[in-house]
Amino acid sequence: MITIGILTVSDGAARGERQDLSGARARELVAQLPDATVQLQSVVPDEQEQIAAILRSWCDEHKINLLLTTGGTGMAPRDVTPEATRAVIEREAPGIAEALRAISLKYTPMAMLSRGVAGVRGRTLIINLPGSPKAVQECLEYVLPVLPHAINLLIEGPKEH
């Protein structure tokens, strides 16, 4: 069983000024993973300490296997999701972030402005996704096939080759 948390980082959605379409799209897509369940889903404003506190809680207390964030990865002053993520991860997984930017560049040159990161805290894989529902779909469709293997490595460790 893969347990999943989806955290949307958006001032507007946190204030109720707009719907959380990105989190909803992420939830639809991760439902395709075998034996996966979304256990936690929330919306928070672009506040670094608040984001980091939730990431820590979901990793350490709730023991989520996969934690996806959406939003707050751009260059605007309030885009602080990567900083919050770096503050809690123990090891980066740069290949995932690089792959997400690479696939996004196929759709828009604006992808080079993404600062999203990916990494591991304990036995949880954390991945920062962009904030638009379209970009969430493009990125998740690309990375979904490798997630069960990545999570299995975190849970059970490597098998002999």
Side-chain angles (χ1 to χ4, degrees):
M1 174 68 70
I2 298 173
T3 57
I4 302 169
I6 301 170
L7 182 64
T8 299
V9 180
S10 166
D11 287 333
R15 288 191 301 260
E17 296 170 357
R18 67 174 199 236
Q19 278 188 283
D20 174 20
L21 300 177
S22 298
R25 190 69 193 123
R27 186 181 190 105
E28 290 171 17
L29 289 163
V30 295
Q32 298 171 21
L33 288 170
D35 298 320
T37 181
V38 175
Q39 287 192 345
L40 299 167
Q41 187 165 359
S42 190
V43 178
V44 295
D46 294 87
E47 295 291 342
Q48 185 173 338
E49 287 307 315
Q50 192 172 350
I51 298 163
I54 291 171
L55 297 179
R56 280 187 207 97
S57 171
W58 289 9
C59 293
D60 300 348
E61 297 166 30
H62 297 279
K63 308 290 188 202
I64 293 297
N65 302 127
L66 174 64
L67 203 165
L68 301 172
T69 69
T70 177
T73 60
M75 298 185 95
R78 289 196 46 81
D79 288 337
V80 295
T81 304
E83 288 74 20
T85 303
R86 279 193 183 98
V88 303
I89 61 174
E90 297 158 346
R91 298 177 292 152
E92 283 201 47
I96 295 173
E98 292 164 8
L100 295 180
R101 273 186 282 283
I103 195 66
S104 294
L105 279 167
K106 293 182 182 233
Y107 299 101
T108 176
M110 298 301 169
M112 67 181 78
L113 302 178
S114 174
R115 300 179 316 105
V117 298
V120 174
R121 179 178 178 93
R123 296 186 184 264
T124 303
L125 175 61
I126 303 172
I127 301 174
N128 296 160
L129 298 170
S132 82
K134 180 179 179 289
V136 166
Q137 178 164 340
E138 293 161 357
C139 289
L140 273 179
E141 284 177 345
Y142 189 68
V143 77
L144 276 177
V146 304
L147 293 179
H149 181 65
I151 292 162
N152 189 56
L153 286 171
L154 286 170
I155 295 170
E156 296 182 17
K159 306 283 189 231
E160 288 202 34
H161 296 280

